[in-house]
Each structure stands twice: as structure tokens, then as C-alpha cells.
Amino acid sequence: MSSLTRKAWQDVRAGGARSLLVAFALVLGLWGLGSVLVAYRILSHDLQENFLRTLPAHAVLTFEPASPLDLASVRSRANVESAELRDLALLRVEVRPDEWIPLWLYGVENFRSMELARVTSQEGAAIPPEGAMLIERNGRLISTLNTGVGARVRSQDRIVEIPVAGIVFDPAQAPATQDHFIYAYSDRATVARVSGEESGRRLVVRFRDVHTKADVERAAADLAADLAAPVAATGRSAVKVTVPAFLEHPHQWQLDTLLGMLGSIGLLAFLLSSVLVSQAVAALLAKQVRQIGILKAIGASRRQLAGIFSLYLAFFAVASGLVAIPLAILTGYGFSYFCAGILNVEILTTRLPGETLALLVLAALVLPFLFAGPTLAKASRISVRKALAGRRIERRSRVTGRTVMTVAATAMGVAIFSTGFNIRQSLFDFLATTRDSMRYDVQVVLAEPMATDAFSRVFAAVGGVERAEMWSGGRGVLQTRVAGTDDGVGIVALPLDSEMVSFRMRSGRWLAPSDAPEIVINQAALPLFRQPKVGQPLALRIAGDERRATLVGIVEEIDLPKVYLADTLYARWANPSGEVNTLLLTAKDRSFQGVMSLKRAVEGAIASSSLKVSYVMSQAERTKIIADHLNIILMVLLTLSFLVLWVSALGMASTTSITVLERTRELGVLRAIGATPERILGMLVAEGLATSAAGLVLGLILSRPLTGLAASFFGSLMLGEGTVLRSAHSTTGLVTTVAVSVLFGYLASRLPAAGAIRITIRRALAYE
């Protein structure tokens, strides 16, 4: 071992408790940063890769009615990569006794050669026997359905029992736990028999050489035009084209939100750890200043000094990396599996890529030098005279600077923690507003519109109803299929005097009587209309005709793109018979028991009718669906916010420990002149609490503008570009933040102080 290496190792050992604190600080900083890097790498790749591996369809063409199709001719087109007939029946299934939810039953052309929109068998039969079906695995979490169970399926006026032959995995679907749908797969003949619908009405297609949604739309339009031409010659209807977001999972916004939070928290963890490590390293190197002076006095060059202290820091880098990197990989994977479980995807990255591991190793080696760089540079430039007197001259300024940095780090942690609660409250307030905007208790949605009188007669005997309304179209993906524009924007046609909704307006006003056509859209529709302004005329293609209306308002809601207009206007444009597909009921007894009683009565009326119902849902259930969509965001946000506060608290404990160690001789003097250990302990704890209180107050002040920025960020990410959540301030969050900060401040000062007073007076006075 060279003399430089021995000198560096001896300095590490001589540091004692200070060396341990530096190692701890480095481990903590690298652990936090590494965990974020690992989770970001896994989630950003695996969640999208799960979706892409299914080979999702670029476009869906629906024929009304079904017509003979030369599938080989479609597949032979130069720009068609693959095409399959994939029927879809929207039914209802009993998930628990007397509890029915939507069932999306897909009719697969050939399970052995699924070229797109593929599913993976996980249990039971890979190919369902005729008359049986496979269900998507996430559906088991919201039902009693499982392999070997007979599922009761309601189709129009009859109930059919379909055996569940196996479980499949389909990561291209929105999680059943969030959308409260059951997804199932069977052969086309079974789907046609159960649903009573013609087979061959739905074609799914993937195109070659398409890179954007616009490319897909052009290719799909050309294909639809060619396929519709022979149909038109026979006087039958044309083809409806649906183009989803290009290669984008239905819940891509959740992934974007998670990755955005991970990136933000990663940056904050890096900043906090840099403060923590730089203070710890600076305190440790401060003890070396006098040695630097001696070495320079006997002729050591800056290069030699740099070599000594580079080896010195390298010991810490290697030690911290050996501990922190395995921890970072473990926690990064743990967080990734947590998110994957909620989003119903699988973690594909079973071995961390070499470049990510190399980045972690590089961070372990670089962080100590990065954080200690300013101190080393300053120490190497100091004169011999100042270096020999440095500990006496700079102790006060060093302690003051460390206190300022500790307050700043604590303030940052408090600000992030408090902001997490505030954003959580903002989302809850938004959810409450969404709930309050729906002034009905039970909603009945038909798969196909029908005459108002025939629809209402089915429920004439249902008691306990305060108010009832009927709409054309409605909210949600199912109703969008019933009433929508030609490019897939859902239409909601409702009475102008409707008492069932009261939206929060983002801008403009709600619909009012007018001689000119008026519409209102939600914020999700803004990108589709190229961010229009209130007062601007918009063009809508409905049933093949272009209609123009003035945009009078924009509402805020968590839903797919929607256009709201008066039912009289919709009847004039595309619904001359005035058919409806949605019944809204308000209960006389609006308690939970009263609403559930009304829902059971509605289900009873449906059971004895021939209605083709898509779903029956209570307002409480719809609110729960929206809450489930936000739940993962809220949990992750609060977890990461707590981790930031925890890191800042550990930083305070570390810097407090350093300060206490530097005051060891001072504390020995106080005890020598009669101060009791309890008195000294109380003094140190009071100083720590004062520092914590300063950081708490500053953090709460900073949380106000930070909440505004976060509200804008999360509003745009989750609810559409330009949407800003209204800033809210959580009382629970304030109390929790104060309590946790005080507790952390107490522990951060109490534990180091308790260790200091256990040192004997003789050792304390001799401490250097």
C-alpha cells in the first residue's frame, strides 16, 4: 500500500463518527437518487412495452350492417400489416349476486393466430371451447368470476350462462379495477349467438409505415372508402372508422403522471442529498485543513494534495456504492411492481440494463467529488498561515452556514410534503365538484337508442323516484358508441332545463335557449378542436353531414371528449325520431341505502323487460370509478412526498450530529463548570427544535406558490392541457406536516445530543 493510500485510509479511520456520518449521507443520497433512476427506467420502458407487445390495432372499421368481406384482399394491400375480424358485444355480467356490470365480449377469429390485439393465456384453456369464454385477469379483482365458474350474462331480454374456461392477460385494456368493466374473449360464433348480433361487423387493422394518428386516419379513410364502395352499390350503409390515440395505452395519462412525479421527486431527492452530503463532507474535510497547511509548509503541491483527498473520497464512494446500489435496485423494483400491479401490467425488465447499472456506479463514484469539490478547491488555495489557524477562524461561519443549509433543506422537505397534501386536497375537491355536478342517483344506459315512451314504460312501476330525465348519448365510453360525431367525439343531447347536471365552467357559460346552434365541450375535447376559444364557431361531422355551431362554454370533468348540446338541436340534426338511450333517476331517499334500493328496483324492472342495457350505475359507483382512476396518483404522491420529508429530516439529523461533535469540547467545559447532562440535553434539543421550527415556517410559506405550480402541472397532465386544479390547502396536511416536522426535529436533535452527553468530561476536554 502506497503512502498516499495509507494516509487517506488513516484519515478515514481517524474521522470516527464524522466518517460514519459522511458514509451515511452518501448512502442516503445515492439510495434516493438510484431508486428513482431504477424505477423510471423500468416503468418508462415496461408499461409501454406491455401495451406494444399486444400489437394493438391502429384503426377499427365497423360495418353497419355486417357485409361480406374479402379479408384476404384487405390483407394483401401494400399498406396493411395485419387485419382481423374481431367482433365486440357490449353485454352485462353478474359479478356478484344481483350485481351487474358491463361485459365487453370480444369475438376472436382464430386464437391460434392472433396477429394483432393479442392476449396471453395465464390459466386454464388457451383456446376456449365453443360456447365458453376467457376473462381478462384483472376482472377477478372485482368479481367472483374464475376458471371453471359459469358466468351469468344478460343479453337483451334473456340471461345466458357462459362457462369461464380460462384466464388471459391483456395489458392493452384499461384495468378492470378502475373502469369497472369485465373483458372477455370467445369465438365469433359464440359471441354472435349470445349477443344476437351479426358477426363480421368489426374489422381491426394495423398499417405499415404510419408514424402518427394523422397517418393512420388517412390510411383508414382510404381503406374504408374502398370497402364501402361495393356496399353502397347495394344500398346498404357505409363504414364507421374509429382511430384511437396512436400507440397509446387507454390510461397513458396515469403513466405520464407517474413518470412526471418520479422525475420531479428524483430532482428534489438529488438536491436534498447534495445539501446533506456537501455539509457532511465539508465538516469532515474541515478537520483536514490544518493538515493541508502542514503538508503545504513542507512542500506538498496542489496535485499531491488532490491525490491524497481523491483517495480519501474514493473510500467513501466505494463504501457508499456497495451499500446504496443494491438498496436502490431493491426499492426501485419494489415501487415498479407496486405501480404495475395497479395498472395491470407486468414487469418485463427482470435484469437491470447495463447502462442503468453503469449510471448508478458512476453516480456513486462522482457524487462525493461533486459535493466535496468546492471545499477541496477552497482548501487547496488556502495559505499556510490560514490553514494552520483555520479551525479557530472558520468554526463560527461554518456552523452558521451549516445551520442555514439545514433550515433550507428542512424547508424544502416541508414544502414538498405540505404540497403533496394540498394537491391531494385539490384532487378531492375536483372529485367532489364532479360528484356534485351529477345530480342524479341512478343511471340506466341502453346499448341502442329507443323511443322515449317505450323506454319510460319499463320503469313506470318503480317507486321512490323524485325526478327522471332522458337523454340521447351521455357520458363514458359506452355512450359515446351510441351517440357521437363521425370522428369519435361523444355527443350528449339533453334538455336545456336539465336538473341533473351542474358543471363547473372552465370558461364561458352553459347552454341556453337560442335561435343559433350552440354547443359546450369538456376540456378533454379541446385538443381535438385545436384549442378553440369561447365564441368561436366549430364544425362537427354528424351522420355524414357537417354541422356548425358556436362554442359558448367549456366544462371541467374527468371523461372522454364530449360535446354537449340541446336535445332539440340534436333531434333537428340527426335524431328526428327523438330516440333516447339514457335514463337518469333521482331518488326520494338519497341515502346510500335508499339509492341502492332504487337501483335494485331498476334492475328488477329490467329483468322482466326486453331492454338491451349496457349498464346500470349509481352516482356513488361512478364517483368511485373516478376516484379509483386518481387513487394511484394520490398514493404515489403522498408516498414520495413523505420520502422527501424523511430525507430532509435525516439531513438535519446528520448535520446536527456533526455540529454536536464539533462542540464536544465546549460541552465538556459546560459540564466541568457544573452544567448537568439534563440541562445540556435540553439546550441542544431546544436548538434543534428552533432550527426545525425555522425550516417548518419557511417550508409552509414556500408551499403556497409550490402548490399553485403543482396544481397547474397535475391539472394539465391528468385533465388536459391548460387545465389548472384549484389550489386547496389541506387542514389535515397542515396538522400532519407540523406534527411530523416537530417529531423529526426533536429526534434529529435528541439522538445526537444523547450520544454527546454520554462522553466523559475528561474525553470531552481532550477531544480534537
Side-chain angles (χ1 to χ4, degrees):
M1 183 182 293
S2 67
S3 58
L4 292 180
T5 304
R6 283 198 301 272
K7 167 69 169 65
W9 176 243
Q10 288 170 0
D11 287 343
V12 171
R13 294 181 61 187
R18 285 190 179 94
S19 294
L20 290 176
L21 284 172
V22 170
F24 171 75
L26 283 169
V27 167
L28 187 65
L30 184 60
W31 185 7
L33 182 61
S35 298
V36 171
L37 287 175
V38 171
Y40 191 93
R41 169 60 180 80
I42 294 171
L43 292 175
S44 61
H45 173 268
D46 288 11
L47 298 190
Q48 184 69 356
E49 184 65 18
N50 270 263
F51 175 66
L52 295 179
R53 284 190 179 188
T54 67
L55 296 179
H58 289 148
V60 178
L61 281 66
T62 306
F63 302 89
E64 294 290 350
S67 59
L69 178 66
D70 186 353
L71 197 57
S73 175
V74 173
R75 290 170 174 166
S76 67
R77 293 172 69 100
N79 67 336
V80 172
E81 178 182 308
S82 55
E84 289 184 15
L85 290 171
R86 184 69 56 85
D87 295 334
L88 173 59
L90 303 181
L91 310 169
R92 293 208 298 155
V93 61
E94 189 178 37
V95 292
R96 293 183 181 86
D98 299 324
E99 183 179 343
W100 299 78
I101 66 174
L103 169 69
W104 293 44
L105 182 59
Y106 289 94
V108 178
E109 184 179 352
N110 189 337
F111 279 92
R112 290 185 175 87
S113 59
M114 298 175 69
E115 296 181 351
L116 72 168
R118 300 184 301 193
V119 299
T120 304
S121 176
Q122 291 198 332
E123 180 184 305
I127 301 174
E130 184 177 351
M133 67 181 181
L134 312 175
I135 65 168
E136 209 287 321
R137 67 179 190 179
N138 205 234
R140 292 188 293 184
L141 301 179
I142 58 171
S143 72
T144 57
L145 301 176
N146 214 328
T147 303
V149 172
R152 283 163 46 87
V153 176
R154 188 187 298 275
S155 177
Q156 299 186 32
D157 59 345
R158 60 198 177 98
I159 294 178
V160 180
E161 184 165 304
I162 306 178
V164 177
I167 307 298
V168 295
F169 173 46
D170 187 355
Q173 301 286 11
T177 50
Q178 296 185 32
D179 278 1
H180 288 240
F181 296 163
I182 297 292
Y183 303 100
Y185 310 84
S186 187
D187 60 87
R188 290 172 51 205
T190 298
V191 173
R193 179 178 57 81
V194 171
S195 66
E197 299 175 353
E198 292 181 280
S199 182
R201 296 174 55 231
R202 188 171 179 269
L203 177 70
V204 291
V205 186
R206 279 180 67 90
F207 296 100
R208 293 190 179 95
D209 300 323
V210 290
H211 307 286
T212 64
K213 184 177 180 180
D215 293 341
V216 175
E217 288 172 340
R218 286 190 292 269
D222 291 341
L223 176 60
D226 291 345
L227 295 179
V231 179
T234 63
R236 302 173 76 182
S237 61
V239 183
K240 179 181 178 182
V241 178
T242 303
V243 179
F246 184 67
L247 298 183
E248 185 175 294
H249 190 274
H251 284 185
Q252 183 68 33
W253 66 272
Q254 284 185 318
L255 173 58
D256 292 341
T257 304
L258 286 172
L259 295 180
M261 286 194 299
L262 274 176
S264 301
I265 296 300
L267 176 61
L268 291 170
F270 177 78
L271 293 175
L272 285 174
S273 62
S274 68
V275 172
L276 172 60
V277 174
S278 62
Q279 289 298 303
V281 172
L284 186 60
L285 290 179
K287 189 177 181 180
Q288 306 294 327
V289 172
R290 184 176 294 175
Q291 295 184 28
I292 291 173
I294 295 172
L295 290 172
K296 293 182 75 173
I298 61 176
S301 65
R302 288 189 179 183
R303 184 175 180 179
Q304 289 173 319
L305 291 174
I308 293 173
F309 287 105
S310 293
L311 285 172
Y312 176 71
L313 292 175
F315 283 119
F316 289 107
V318 172
S320 64
L322 290 174
V323 176
I325 290 177
L327 288 175
I329 294 174
L330 183 64
T331 53
Y333 265 99
F335 180 76
S336 299
Y337 276 105
F338 164 75
C339 294
I342 295 179
L343 292 176
N344 189 35
V345 296
E346 291 185 338
I347 296 300
L348 305 174
T349 307
T350 55
R351 296 183 63 182
L352 201 63
E355 62 270 19
T356 305
L357 186 59
L359 187 59
L360 292 175
V361 173
L362 181 64
L365 296 176
V366 169
L367 280 179
F369 295 91
L370 179 65
F371 297 148
T375 302
L376 283 174
K378 183 177 179 181
S380 65
R381 292 194 301 267
I382 196 171
S383 67
V384 175
R385 182 181 61 82
K386 287 186 176 181
L388 294 175
R391 285 179 56 80
R392 292 189 299 272
I393 292 173
E394 296 189 0
R395 172 173 292 180
R396 181 176 296 277
S397 62
R398 194 166 64 243
V399 172
T400 301
R402 190 179 302 129
T403 301
V404 171
M405 294 301 292
T406 301
V407 170
T410 302
M412 186 181 296
V414 167
I416 297 298
F417 190 58
S418 180
T419 298
F421 275 98
N422 290 340
I423 292 301
R424 177 175 177 268
Q425 187 63 48
S426 295
L427 289 170
F428 279 155
D429 289 350
F430 184 86
L431 184 60
T433 301
T434 301
R435 182 184 63 245
D436 294 342
S437 71
M438 300 179 288
R439 297 181 174 180
Y440 55 86
D441 296 308
V442 176
Q443 181 183 26
V444 182
V445 179
L446 301 179
E448 296 176 355
M450 64 183 299
T452 302
D453 292 343
F455 194 4
S456 61
R457 275 199 302 271
V458 174
F459 304 98
V462 174
V465 177
E466 179 71 26
R467 290 192 309 274
E469 278 187 19
M470 291 189 175
W471 294 357
S472 296
R475 301 191 191 138
V477 64
L478 295 181
Q479 293 145 301
T480 300
R481 295 172 177 270
V482 177
T485 65
D486 291 353
D487 54 359
V489 181
I491 290 176
V492 184
L494 68 170
L496 288 176
D497 59 350
S498 174
E499 298 180 347
M500 297 298 187
V501 291
S502 179
F503 288 112
R504 184 169 73 181
M505 302 301 300
R506 173 172 168 172
S507 59
R509 60 171 175 82
W510 184 243
L511 299 168
S514 173
D515 294 332
E518 294 182 349
I519 61 171
V520 168
I521 64 175
N522 63 8
Q523 85 284 339
L526 287 172
L528 301 180
F529 291 103
R530 300 183 179 180
Q531 304 297 330
K533 304 296 182 183
V534 171
Q536 177 179 331
L538 297 182
L540 308 172
R541 287 197 62 82
I542 301 175
D545 295 323
E546 183 173 293
R547 307 291 185 176
R548 301 188 70 83
T550 302
L551 177 65
V552 298
I554 302 170
V555 300
E556 294 183 358
E557 66 168 340
I558 302 177
D559 207 338
L560 297 173
K562 291 290 184 292
V563 172
Y564 294 88
L565 48 78
D567 54 2
T568 52
L569 176 61
Y570 185 61
R572 192 164 75 243
W573 278 356
N575 188 26
S577 60
E579 291 185 326
V580 294
N581 74 301
T582 302
L583 171 65
L584 307 174
L585 302 173
T586 302
K588 291 180 179 178
D589 178 5
R590 304 200 68 183
S591 66
F592 179 79
Q593 292 79 6
V595 172
M596 291 299 102
S597 176
L598 176 59
K599 185 183 177 186
R600 285 191 294 271
V602 167
E603 288 282 11
I606 293 172
S608 59
S609 74
S610 60
L611 291 182
K612 189 174 183 180
V613 176
S614 286
Y615 63 82
V616 178
M617 185 176 294
S618 69
Q619 186 226 46
E621 290 169 316
R622 175 171 170 79
T623 302
K624 184 180 185 303
I625 290 173
I626 297 173
D628 287 344
H629 280 72
L630 298 177
N631 188 47
I632 181 174
I633 307 300
L634 296 176
M635 288 192 297
V636 172
L637 179 63
L638 289 183
T639 300
L640 294 179
S641 298
F642 180 80
L643 289 177
V644 170
L645 183 61
W646 175 246
V647 170
S648 68
L650 290 175
M652 180 180 176
S654 177
T655 52
T656 301
S657 298
I658 294 170
T659 302
V660 170
L661 283 172
E662 291 181 342
R663 297 174 62 185
T664 299
R665 181 178 292 180
E666 174 190 336
L667 299 179
V669 172
L670 291 175
R671 291 179 62 187
I673 62 176
T676 64
E678 291 75 15
R679 185 73 176 269
I680 294 175
L681 182 63
M683 177 189 70
L684 294 175
V685 170
E687 292 176 359
L689 288 175
T691 302
S692 179
L696 174 62
V697 172
L698 181 59
L700 292 176
I701 294 173
L702 290 175
S703 70
R704 298 185 68 85
L706 193 59
T707 296
L709 293 174
S712 176
F713 170 76
F714 285 112
S716 296
L717 201 56
M718 293 189 297
L719 307 174
E721 185 178 349
T723 302
V724 179
L725 291 172
R726 283 168 169 75
S727 296
H729 297 283
S730 169
T731 302
T732 302
L734 176 62
V735 173
T736 303
T737 301
V738 171
V740 172
S741 298
V742 171
L743 176 62
F744 281 176
Y746 173 79
L747 294 176
S749 55
R750 176 70 171 74
L751 297 178
I757 63 173
R758 285 196 293 268
I759 300 176
T760 64
I761 296 177
R762 182 181 64 81
R763 287 181 58 196
L765 293 175
Y767 185 83
E768 178 58 34

